Amino acid sequence: MVVLTPLLAILAILLLKLLYDNLSCYWFTPLRIKKIMEMQGVRGPKPSFLTGNILDMASLVSKTTSQDMKTISHDIVGRLLPHFLLWSTQFGMYIYVYVCAHNTNQTNIYHMILIIYFPLI
């Protein structure tokens, strides 16, 4: 029983840290960023709790990539990132995106695409 109590305490601390990290990444930080951006006049689509706007983005991408391209072109942003084109027409040129990714390569590629296509952001 003496050994079990410290192990339970360590397990409880680890679970609380895991819970805090997930709540911070998926709830607290996006709400804080959204509030700051809305105070500056930057709006965006309303995200759902755990998935954010991933389902909307996936459905838009599947619609645009389901058919072949009519012409060969290097301007493929409308095909691969149709949600940015749609949201920039709905909410204006300044839209915010929060990516909670632990893989920095994905985040850097996403950021480079945004800078190339939306240079004012």
Side-chain angles (χ1 to χ4, degrees):
M1 188 69 175
V2 174
V3 175
L4 190 60
T5 305
L7 290 176
L8 287 175
I10 291 171
L11 181 64
I13 290 171
L14 289 175
L15 287 175
L16 284 174
K17 178 166 177 19
L18 181 68
L19 178 69
Y20 174 76
D21 288 344
N22 283 320
L23 283 175
S24 175
C25 182
Y26 295 111
W27 193 22
F28 298 140
T29 303
L31 283 178
R32 182 177 50 84
I33 291 173
K34 183 176 181 177
K35 185 177 178 182
I36 291 170
M37 297 299 276
E38 283 179 349
M39 288 179 4
Q40 297 175 11
V42 179
R43 306 259 185 257
K46 183 173 171 73
S48 61
F49 175 58
L50 285 177
T51 58
N53 298 105
I54 292 175
L55 299 177
D56 299 333
M57 293 174 1
S59 68
L60 288 169
V61 169
S62 68
K63 284 179 190 174
T64 58
T65 57
S66 65
Q67 298 174 356
D68 292 336
M69 294 177 69
K70 294 177 182 157
T71 60
I72 297 175
S73 172
H74 292 289
D75 186 20
I76 59 171
V77 175
R79 185 171 171 88
L80 298 179
L81 300 171
H83 47 283
F84 284 111
L85 295 178
L86 177 68
W87 294 338
S88 64
T89 57
Q90 286 179 347
F91 300 106
M93 187 63 172
Y94 299 105
I95 56 175
Y96 77 92
V97 176
Y98 176 74
V99 179
C100 183
H102 298 288
N103 185 353
T104 56
N105 292 335
Q106 283 181 331
T107 307
N108 290 341
I109 291 170
Y110 212 63
H111 190 246
M112 286 189 308
I113 291 172
L114 286 176
I115 289 174
I116 290 168
Y117 197 72
F118 297 105
L120 298 176
I121 294 179

